[in-house]
Amino acid sequence: MLFSLHSRALGAAALLGAMAAGAAHAGGAVSGTLLDDQGHAIDASLWPFVALYQCDASGIEQDFCTAFANGGGVLDDGTWAIATDGLPAGKYQLVAGANDFSTKYTQHFKLEAEGTLQQALLLKPLKIAFAEFNPCTTLNNGWCDIGYRVTNQSTKDVKTQVWAQVTARTNMPTPDTQYSSGNGNYKPMVLTLAAGETRQVTQSVYVGTRDTGAYSIVSFFASPPGQPDQTTGFSQGVRLAQTAGGVESQLQGVAQQLAAQQPGKTAAAKARQGALQASKAAAAKGTFIVGTLTAADTGVPLPVALSPRMNLWICLRVTDEFCSQEPGEFVYLDESGKYQLNTTQVPAGRYQFEAQARGGYGIARSPAFDAPISGNVRMDLSLSLPPMAVANVSGCETVSTEAGACTLSVDLTNTTGAALEMWTWVNVNAYMSGSPLGVAIFTAGSEQSMKPSLVKLEVGQTKTLQFPLALSKKLKSGAEGGLRLYMGRKSDPSYAEASVVIGNFFVTADGSLQRRAVKAQK
């Protein structure tokens, strides 16, 4: 599963539309209804979904089954069906959810090959609800004041912590930066709400300084204090884009947020398909941008084995310095790292090159430019390795679910020719956490808090940093999540110089928490 914001909704969006022909299925199927706890169908705008998971084929029982088997959309009357054709007989589990509702995990059940089964599922509202967002129109040194209403929907008084989870995208070496923000600091706000109480809150969230066109997606989570993986509330989020005139905000649902983070092929993008490949013809008439893509550490083109690649991003506005819409076509690179673009063969507009490669290299982006250009231009790009090398990741290999004592240890080495001072933190993406929401995303910083650690390294110096993972003792077997280490600028932590996947965590059938090493990725 992707380690990105709203992983539960990503699965839901992928399932919607699978049952366009209706809830009935001619072959084997699991089917039923998905309703709220009052017996009403859940509005389609809240993205209700049902998914079928296969339990461990080894026969070892886990609370959560983790092998996705199939899924289906929910119709307006709350009915759903999931085809079971071709699935092996065995034990399965249904997972159901919707925005503003708790996630439902059924008991394991046996399913015969191409068998049928009926399941009636009820979803309870999340304990904490967010509504009526009123975001800033200007930034104050990178901070944005966001007003909203928070409601305790339960019948008991609740003490809860609330934090903002920020996904920032701008011209930097990583695809994004993800981190938690409190109210004017990195500490979650703590509120005590009476049963049924609604309170107006203004939270100052750090979104960083931005190139025009860059944006942040800000979502809000709630959980019991000190237990960020046991989420009891979640907002749909606010998208904040930097423009020449200030901050442009948009309230949007989870599916729209995902589309914004991973832009698809828009109608404008489709119109550009084929135009980029056509620019390979050197004899074509027009005005060209030419250049070479190299590695900054060697000064020579990257080897083909590292899959160097370039594509052209589209700007939304004529004033943008960061272009956020990808057409989906790659700019042709030859084996010597040379490329060219005939700017008369793409529709008039504002564009930007983006270059990437494997091997731990960061992203490089060109200055934004308007096409067609008036004369031939050269734009050379180079990819850089992270300023700090990551090694000797340890801790949390096998511990009991008394996980508050679980601490990651990471060695960081300054690989540059100058002293460095940077913010570092681990972004935790916990899914199938067993919380009412079912997913939690938060920063594991220093001293069991969400505050990043500021590390200073001299040339060649290595330091060992520790990041306590604030994982709950309530984690059940099958719970899992991803861990990504970020390195942000001292002057602006929302600008990540690098990010590295440093492992996944998983709770085994005997209740122990394990960290599984993964191959380092950018």
Side-chain angles (χ1 to χ4, degrees), residues 252-324:
Q252 51 187 17
V254 172
Q256 287 82 2
Q257 292 181 43
L258 289 166
Q261 293 180 75
Q262 299 175 332
K265 294 183 179 180
T266 62
K270 290 180 179 179
R272 292 161 170 80
Q273 291 186 11
L276 302 184
Q277 290 296 328
S279 70
K280 290 187 292 183
K285 295 181 180 179
T287 52
F288 289 80
I289 297 176
V290 299
T292 303
L293 177 64
T294 58
D297 56 323
T298 63
V300 300
L302 292 101
V304 174
L306 295 182
S307 303
R309 56 201 180 275
M310 288 181 61
N311 56 10
L312 194 65
W313 288 65
I314 306 166
C315 287
L316 297 179
R317 308 169 192 84
V318 295
T319 57
D320 283 356
E321 300 166 298
F322 174 81
C323 299
S324 60

Side-chain angles (χ1 to χ4, degrees), residues 202-266:
T202 298
Q203 186 169 347
S204 186
V205 177
Y206 187 74
V207 297
T209 56
R210 291 285 176 269
D211 296 318
T212 54
Y215 63 88
S216 296
I217 292 174
V218 184
S219 299
F220 292 86
F221 287 88
S223 78
Q227 301 180 54
D229 64 350
Q230 295 302 301
T231 42
T232 55
F234 169 69
S235 79
Q236 293 189 344
V238 182
R239 187 179 192 271
L240 303 172
Q242 185 66 47
T243 69
V247 177
E248 179 181 280
S249 62
Q250 180 183 3
L251 305 180
Q252 51 187 17
V254 172
Q256 287 82 2
Q257 292 181 43
L258 289 166
Q261 293 180 75
Q262 299 175 332
K265 294 183 179 180
T266 62

